[in-house]
Amino acid sequence: MGLIDNTSFNNHELVSFTSDAETGLKAIIAIHNTNRGPALGGCRFWNYSSEEEAVTDALRLSRGMTYKSALANLPLGGGKAVIIGDPTKIKTPALMQAFGRFVEKLNGLYITAEDVGTSPADMDSIHKETNHVVGLENPNGGSGDPSIITAYGVYLGIKAACEKKLKKDLRGVKVALQGLGHVGSYVVGHLVNDGAVVTVADINTTNVTKIVEKYQVTAVAPTEILYQECDILSPCALGGVVNDTTIDKLKCKIIAGAANNQLAEARHGDELMERGILYAPDYLINAGGIINVTFEGPNYDKTKVMKLVEGIYDTLMEVLAYAEQNNISSNRASDAIAESRFLNLDYNWGTNRLRA
Ligand code: NAD
């Protein structure tokens, strides 16, 4: 299939490919839209089964970033990078530096950050080659791992969804959470603190053991987590979990989690609505990390950042109310609001660059 015929190609502004024989780097940067500002989005390092799968992921994730930043009212566009390969086998500082040179060539049109398979230490390697990177480690002028703040925003989104649908707080509420990585592990902590009854799963057994021991939660097999009888399903691993195969088997009242692109297609959001399942749009409630890194720099003010992240609760309530008023699904409601903020804008972002 040609790139522009890929169903995930959605008026993307630019898609760029690179490779570096010396370090084994094979990477793609997809820039969806820069009407509101430079395209900021994480760098995912994943062992894709094919290049086509990697391209599709980059296209879908970069589009999601445009919507995420627009809905959060940030002066940013949407982009994403993917590095192809198993990070546990091929990731080296030299490879991350080669990726940094790739980012530098785009001259600030794209700003990279951490995502699945990359860490603040990797951002520091990239920073040796380019200034167009955020999420650096604290001693290097960064705001550190964004996952903690992402998790806090996701928890607020889960709380809001619970109050809207179940008319109560999280005490005694059954949550099935998939993915105990950087974000999911912190989300579990917030939920347990609020008295939720949490069931977890991860394909990485070390992560499962750690969280089960720390919070005394129950673990189930990764193949079972999506189909738990529960109040809230919280996907915190990878995207596409709500699809034609899984949707009939879901036994939850709410879906609210950190993973990007949880709906395989927008129509799955309509189907969730028909089934009476409240869906908290992923890019709305997982925006904490991007809000945080947007304000990284010498004037970083954590209090200001946390106030903006707390806005996730109200934004979700507003989007759900808009969806109700217009009798549309929550994902269509948030898309409509985001689109009104990034389409047809003649936005001069020259002065809004995060880094000169
Ligand atoms: P991570 O790589 O640290 O964690 C992902 C976890 O999911 C890993 O522990 C992995 O083993 C597990 N996993 C993968 N496939 C699984 C499966 N089929 N079943 C069960 N577990 C599985 O990544 P993260 O930073 O925690 O991000 C999680 C999700 O949240 C991703 O979709 C990411 O794009 C999204 N997100 C992250 C941030 C952030 O600040 N890190 C911000 C916004 C969105």
Side-chain angles (χ1 to χ4, degrees), residues 213-239:
E213 277 175 10
K214 186 165 180 190
Y215 297 111
Q216 278 82 52
V217 292
T218 308
V220 295
T223 46
E224 288 173 23
I225 191 75
L226 296 178
Y227 312 123
Q228 292 296 300
E229 186 102 45
C230 61
D231 298 299
I232 304 174
L233 173 65
S234 186
C236 295
L238 298 181

Side-chain angles (χ1 to χ4, degrees), residues 44-46 61 65 68 80 114-118 145-151 154 177-185 200-205 207-208 221-223 225-226 235-239 241 257-262 282-283 285-290:
R44 179 165 295 191
F45 205 141
W46 192 250
L61 290 165
M65 293 309 294
K68 185 186 302 200
K80 201 91 180 183
E114 187 198 296
D115 194 68
V116 176
T118 55
D145 182 358
S147 312
I148 300 166
I149 295 183
T150 300
V154 170
L177 188 142
Q178 180 194 43
L180 299 169
H182 289 95
V183 182
S185 54
V200 299
D202 196 298
I203 50 173
N204 178 330
T205 50
N207 288 359
V208 175
T223 46
I225 191 75
L226 296 178
C236 295
L238 298 181
V241 288
N260 283 310
N261 296 331
Q262 288 165 34
D282 46 18
Y283 64 77
I285 71 166
N286 71 16
I290 197 165

